Amino acid sequence: RVVGRRTDPETGDIYHMTFSPPPTKEIEARLVQRSDDTEEKVKVRLEQYHANVAAVKDSYTDITVEIDGVGKPTDVFEAIKKSVVEKV
């Protein structure tokens, strides 16, 4: 999603070219992409994120709970709530 993000330098409004496109061609013409929102930069950021998570994840195994986020939002919420209550 980050790769599709664009900013309007006149208003500061942020758009996404697929999910929340600008309302007019005039606005679209003036949009700019941040230098760190390119696919190459995002790949580097994701690699760094995964390396950092892997480095600390084992420190939290006693309090970590994995939740399947596929499903109805209310069902996922209930699973999260139940896990938090069990850990507290």
Side-chain angles (χ1 to χ4, degrees):
R1 288 184 59 118
V2 171
V3 175
R5 179 170 53 186
R6 302 290 188 277
T7 304
D8 182 343
E10 288 186 19
T11 64
D13 291 341
I14 298 172
Y15 298 96
H16 189 280
M17 300 309 290
T18 302
F19 303 110
S20 180
T24 67
K25 291 290 183 188
E26 177 186 343
I27 294 172
E28 182 177 347
R30 67 179 183 238
L31 297 181
V32 294
Q33 183 178 28
R34 287 177 27 174
S35 62
D36 62 339
D37 280 352
T38 64
E39 190 170 343
E40 297 78 26
K41 300 278 183 159
V42 170
K43 284 181 182 179
V44 170
R45 289 197 321 239
L46 280 173
E47 288 170 5
Q48 291 172 342
Y49 166 80
H50 288 294
N52 290 335
V53 166
V56 299
K57 190 173 182 180
D58 289 340
S59 300
Y60 297 97
T61 55
D62 59 329
I63 61 170
T64 300
V65 177
E66 294 206 18
I67 303 290
D68 183 358
V70 177
K72 294 180 185 176
T74 53
D75 294 341
V76 174
F77 172 76
E78 288 302 321
I80 293 169
K81 187 169 81 170
K82 179 182 177 205
S83 296
V84 169
V85 168
E86 289 174 358
K87 288 291 183 177
V88 177

